[in-house]
Amino acid sequence: MTEVTPTLPVDHRELISDLSGIVSDYPYADPESTLAVLAGDAAEALGREATPQGGRERTGYTILLHATCWYVSARIFSKSLFASYTRVLEGFRAQLDRASCTCPAGAHPAELDSEYEVEAGVSMLTETGRAAFAEDYGLDPEESAVFDCEGFLAGLADEALDRLHEAHQELFGGIDVSHLDAQFVRDDGRIDVVAMQEAISRSWEDNTGPVALWSARRWLTGQVRDEERIGVFLCLWMGIAQSYGGLPPSYARDLAAALATIDLDVTCEHRQHPWSTADSTVQSRYRAVVHLYAPDDHPETPVPAELSARELWECPVHYARLAQEALKDLQGWRTMRGGDDEDWED
């Protein structure tokens, strides 16, 4: 009699494909809705704890939530999805006794590849899937049994919960940038716009977001002298424009509030404004601003002499056009990163 090779159900093969695309950061299924469905299915499994099916699902979903929590934390700005993940992981964690582990030292899979973890998690949901996974990877019964170890699963749940709690604060909480006062405020209380520009230009230090947020808060509190206004506003604008992956709501709220202070319904008779002459490169913009504030130290500028008058820099239409561009970027972040309106506006 021919032995039948175990195979995964079609829907589980599709789930592996969808989740693998997400964890590899090349999703083709919508990540937010796909992961919301995953969390919802896992929540239903919580109620089947006492059944064999529930035991298998607890293993599979704990592994899957751990595998995908990194994407949730870094790519999706949705409080409701964070809450769903946290609630289910806490539910599974309450069922797991870490001290019950009797596995020999080194038996638990360590530093799992995310796509392997997705395949393992989906496979663990059913007996057929487990058999197929064991056959594909040549696992003996003892190696397969490790995936169900409560100590192993508790470790995954704890790690995922720690990451979610940390990321929730980063994405939605209050960000402290007061330490930048020491870098950007001189002893006489004046703002050092050149130092701000130098910080933005060091992109490898991830300075764009903090500088933009510091500028926005300085702007909103009115701690900006007249001669500093355009410099601070350009630092705010550049921090937004150069945050190519988008900044989270913890930043975007104050950025949007600062931009909302600009009157967009204005007109002028100027044919052109200074910023429009700077190329859309970090270096060109940098040279334009530092020349404006320290021309002797930074003589090179892309802004022609005929467009360098302060009147043109400070024109309300100049501010309005900059604000309109920045607001488009903020809206793009919301579209790209998902979440509800209240996630971005609280």
Side-chain angles (χ1 to χ4, degrees):
M1 184 173 182
T2 304
E3 186 175 343
V4 177
T5 301
T7 58
L8 281 169
V10 173
D11 59 334
H12 281 192
R13 292 201 297 271
E14 292 175 350
L15 180 59
I16 289 175
S17 178
D18 290 344
L19 295 180
S20 293
I22 290 171
V23 299
S24 63
D25 214 6
Y26 288 98
Y28 38 87
D30 178 66
E32 186 172 359
S33 61
T34 300
L35 297 177
V37 169
L38 175 67
D41 290 344
E44 291 182 8
L46 277 172
R48 295 189 284 268
E49 172 192 3
T51 67
Q53 178 187 356
R56 290 190 293 270
E57 290 177 332
R58 181 178 69 185
T59 295
Y61 284 123
T62 300
I63 294 172
L64 289 173
L65 295 174
H66 176 268
T68 56
C69 78
W70 313 104
Y71 192 94
V72 173
S73 300
R75 294 287 186 264
I76 302 178
F77 302 160
S78 168
K79 287 182 181 177
S80 62
L81 188 57
F82 268 79
S84 296
Y85 262 62
T86 300
R87 186 163 50 248
V88 177
L89 281 163
E90 288 177 342
F92 284 139
R93 182 63 182 89
Q95 300 174 4
L96 299 167
D97 179 9
R98 200 162 194 167
S100 68
C101 173
T102 58
C103 299
H108 293 171
E111 299 182 6
L112 295 171
D113 174 83
S114 57
E115 291 186 61
Y116 173 84
E117 196 173 2
V118 162
E119 186 178 355
V122 174
S123 299
M124 293 298 134
L125 295 173
T126 63
E127 284 291 357
T128 303
R130 286 166 176 251
F133 186 77
E135 182 168 306
D136 287 345
Y137 286 94
L139 303 180
D140 60 35
E142 291 76 17
E143 291 172 317
S144 296
V146 169
F147 287 98
D148 290 311
C149 170
E150 293 193 20
F152 168 63
L153 295 174
L156 294 184
D158 287 341
E159 190 171 64
L161 286 167
D162 286 346
R163 178 59 194 140
L164 289 166
H165 290 315
E166 178 184 356
H168 192 279
Q169 176 60 30
E170 293 171 356
L171 299 183
F172 306 109
I175 303 298
D176 183 8
V177 291
S178 60
H179 62 282
L180 295 178
D181 292 355
Q183 297 181 42
F184 302 152
V185 182
R186 297 191 178 106
D187 292 341
D188 62 3
R190 296 180 182 277
I191 296 174
D192 191 341
V193 175
V194 172
M196 295 172 69
Q197 282 295 305
E198 290 173 347
I200 291 176
S201 69
R202 298 193 299 272
S203 58
W204 59 91
E205 296 180 1
D206 294 326
N207 284 327
T208 51
V211 172
L213 183 58
W214 188 90
S215 302
R217 289 178 178 169
R218 198 83 182 179
W219 184 273
L220 289 167
T221 57
Q223 296 175 285
V224 181
R225 292 177 170 84
D226 287 346
E227 66 271 18
E228 299 164 345
R229 281 177 53 82
I230 188 61
V232 171
F233 194 77
L234 287 173
C235 289
L236 164 62
W237 186 92
M238 290 169 69
I240 293 172
Q242 292 165 205
S243 295
Y244 306 111
L247 293 169
S250 54
Y251 286 78
R253 288 190 295 265
D254 285 346
L255 302 182
L259 294 172
T261 67
I262 304 300
D263 185 358
L264 303 181
D265 188 19
V266 289
T267 59
C268 72
E269 297 179 355
H270 302 136
R271 294 178 59 188
Q272 196 173 14
H273 295 92
W275 200 242
S276 64
T277 65
D279 295 334
S280 58
T281 64
V282 173
Q283 186 60 29
S284 179
R285 293 165 177 168
Y286 169 82
R287 289 191 292 113
V289 179
V290 297
H291 174 80
L292 180 63
Y293 280 89
D296 293 337
D297 296 332
H298 303 275
E300 294 186 5
T301 175
V303 179
E306 64 271 19
L307 290 174
S308 62
R310 275 284 179 161
E311 174 192 358
L312 293 174
W313 280 104
E314 298 286 357
C315 174
V317 171
H318 197 207
Y319 280 97
R321 289 176 179 171
L322 289 166
Q324 287 168 338
E325 290 181 22
L327 287 168
K328 287 181 182 178
D329 284 338
L330 263 63
Q331 184 56 52
W333 298 348
R334 296 175 67 153
T335 302
M336 173 173 57
R337 298 303 188 189
D340 299 321
D341 287 345
E342 54 266 29
D343 296 336
W344 292 86
E345 297 168 0
D346 282 354

